[in-house]
Amino acid sequence: MCTGACSKFIAVPLYVLAAVSVVCNLMLFFPDFETVYAKEDREGRDRITEEVKYMGGLIGGGVMCLIPAIHIHLTSAKNCCANRCGMFLSIGFAAAGVVGALYSLTVAGLGLANGPLCFWNNEEHPNPRWGTPFLNSSGSYLSDRELWSWCKLPENVVEFNLGLFSTLLVAASAQLVLCMVQMINGLFGCLCGTCGEQVRPKRCLERYHEETSTFWC
């Protein structure tokens, strides 16, 4: 496969994954699909899970992966024509995407490990309060659904956060792999060109340079 065509193959799923990351991060601000908790949090009362405010999906998996996706897509626009400069730049953009994906991955992992912020109580703490009941559980609460009933408000907040943070985790992992592949692909494209001579498209107007024995599009 041409390195240019490979770049296009990488850019398209990065668009999708960036959109998924942004949507998931925004949804996490509205547990139980209610706006009241976000409003109260803006008023200074903690109602939104702390990791949501780190904007891992919006900044890391969103913006920091969307910009590389756009550049990588533009680099692949001339598919098999020589575009070594674009490929060289794509390595740096892909590296930024790796950083963004790692940030999103880390925040999502913390969100799952620490659990949601909710209005909770249990037998040991009968007085309801707002807090993070699973903060020191190291994620062990994930395998014990009975503990999820500790959270009274927002309703089903554990399932809500679990689903969205898990989606962010998967999306960030995929972004990380794609950006790392593009770094390797960009290196080959920079050194060897975006396409081998044997697969040059007919639409490229070629002329053979006798002195250098190379094709130009």
Side-chain angles (χ1 to χ4, degrees), residues 102-194:
L102 283 173
Y103 179 62
S104 181
L105 185 69
T106 302
V107 172
L110 285 173
L112 288 173
N114 295 335
L117 185 147
C118 61
F119 190 67
W120 71 283
N121 70 326
N122 58 22
E123 294 180 356
E124 296 181 4
H125 302 86
N127 296 323
R129 75 202 65 185
W130 282 95
T132 311
F134 312 117
L135 183 60
N136 298 316
S137 68
S138 300
S140 61
Y141 77 96
L142 294 171
S143 59
D144 191 349
R145 293 180 63 91
E146 293 184 2
L147 300 181
W148 299 3
S149 62
W150 291 1
C151 286
K152 310 303 180 184
L153 292 173
E155 292 185 11
N156 303 314
V157 68
V158 178
E159 294 92 328
F160 186 82
N161 276 27
L162 176 59
L164 292 175
F165 273 126
S166 295
T167 302
L168 280 172
L169 196 70
V170 172
S173 298
Q175 288 172 322
L176 180 62
V177 171
L178 288 171
C179 287
M180 291 180 70
V181 169
Q182 177 56 30
M183 290 180 68
I184 298 172
N185 181 61
L187 179 61
F188 277 106
C190 179
L191 296 176
C192 308
T194 55

Side-chain angles (χ1 to χ4, degrees), residues 1-9 73-83 87 193-195 199 201 203-204:
M1 177 186 289
C2 300
T3 55
C6 182
S7 293
K8 187 174 184 179
F9 178 79
H73 196 185
L74 292 175
T75 299
S76 68
K78 294 184 178 181
N79 222 21
C80 291
C81 292
N83 192 7
M87 279 295 180
T194 55
C195 192
V199 289
R203 63 185 175 83
C204 285

